[in-house]
Amino acid sequence: KPHFSGDQMGMSSATAEGSEPVHSSQLLAKMRARNNLVVSENANAESHGDQSDDLLVQMRNFIALQCTTIGQATTQEILNEFGSKLPQSDSVLFRSMLRQICTFRRDSSTKKGIW
């Protein structure tokens, strides 16, 4: 199965049934729309400030104090902690919030994502 099938963005890739492959301009348009959605969701999050602030504090505290390595978390640790607390539809917003307080890198030896 391809790494990205387009299904998460409401697009499907070519299949054995003969459907057309996703054109790059369609994919870029969907990505731009998603990014604009994140901006508007961030604006909505600001209007619901307490919830967003609480989540940011939880994220910060978890990464700073509760991970295997204090001050950094693997992507898996973050998913284990917050994955069941948030609906899948909030994943883009969650990632955006995570990027507000962390930088991402990939460990060269283990290939794990580190925040």
Side-chain angles (χ1 to χ4, degrees):
K1 183 176 177 180
H3 181 69
F4 176 75
S5 66
D7 294 336
Q8 289 183 342
M9 294 183 70
M11 305 174 88
S12 60
S13 60
T15 63
E17 292 85 41
S19 64
E20 292 296 316
V22 176
H23 192 273
S24 61
S25 62
Q26 293 171 310
L27 182 58
L28 285 171
K30 285 283 192 173
M31 291 169 68
R32 286 183 182 116
R34 181 196 65 195
N35 289 342
N36 287 335
L37 180 63
V38 170
V39 171
S40 66
E41 285 178 351
N42 282 338
N44 287 339
E46 289 174 11
S47 67
H48 299 101
D50 290 341
Q51 282 182 310
S52 296
D53 290 347
D54 288 346
L55 182 57
L56 279 170
V57 168
Q58 289 175 26
M59 293 164 62
R60 182 200 64 201
N61 290 344
F62 175 73
I63 294 167
L65 305 170
Q66 299 173 4
C67 293
T68 304
T69 303
I70 300 300
Q72 69 181 30
T74 65
T75 299
Q76 192 58 54
E77 286 176 312
I78 292 170
L79 290 174
N80 290 345
E81 179 68 17
F82 295 99
S84 63
K85 297 176 183 178
L86 298 169
Q88 179 69 26
S89 60
D90 287 345
S91 64
V92 174
L93 180 60
F94 181 80
R95 193 174 315 117
S96 174
M97 293 172 69
L98 188 58
R99 288 181 176 145
Q100 289 177 18
I101 61 171
C102 298
T103 55
F104 177 81
R105 69 177 174 84
R106 190 159 303 278
D107 184 276
S108 59
S109 61
T110 65
K111 306 296 184 207
K112 290 182 180 180
I114 306 291
W115 294 90

